[in-house]
Amino acid sequence: MNDIDVLVIGAGNAAANAALAAHEGGARRVAMLESAPENARGGNSAFTGGAFRFVYESVDDLPQ
Ligand SMILES: Cc1cc2nc3c(=O)[nH]c(=O)nc-3n(C[C@H](O)[C@H](O)[C@H](O)COP(=O)(O)OP(=O)(O)OC[C@H]3O[C@@H](n4cnc5c(N)ncnc54)[C@H](O)[C@@H]3O)c2cc1C
């Protein structure tokens, strides 16, 4: 734990995005600390099956 640059609390979608952003921003050692037992990790994000709602203005914002 002493060598960690960024510690993210939780391991759901928000935490995963924060961890990825920290790594892309230059943090070399990013850790995620999840309070749930391993078989219940991922919080409510695990219920989505990987399909997340997100905000967009028009179809032009969507990947082609
Ligand atoms: C049944 C169901 C189906 C859904 N389906 C969809 C869908 O199809 N599409 C969609 O876009 N959205 C869906 N949602 C909503 C979506 O799951 C949530 O909006 C989203 O997962 C929230 O992400 P989050 O990272 O904020 O929270 P979470 O995914 O809940 O992650 C929070 C994490 O933080 C951990 N945590 C909390 N407190 C601490 C602490 N003190 N220390 C360490 N860890 C901690 C929790 O254990 C958890 O793992 C669904 C929700 C439910 C309940």
Side-chain angles (χ1 to χ4, degrees), residues 1-62:
M1 292 292 276
N2 292 336
D3 294 331
I4 293 169
D5 297 319
V6 175
L7 178 62
V8 179
I9 307 301
N13 187 48
N17 279 284
L20 286 169
H23 185 63
E24 288 173 358
R28 288 198 308 123
R29 293 169 299 252
V30 181
M32 298 167 75
L33 192 63
E34 170 59 66
S35 62
E38 190 169 348
N39 65 353
R41 67 190 183 278
N44 286 329
S45 299
F47 291 113
T48 68
F52 283 98
R53 289 181 291 267
F54 62 94
V55 177
Y56 62 97
E57 297 291 337
S58 76
V59 292
D60 294 333
D61 294 341
L62 303 176

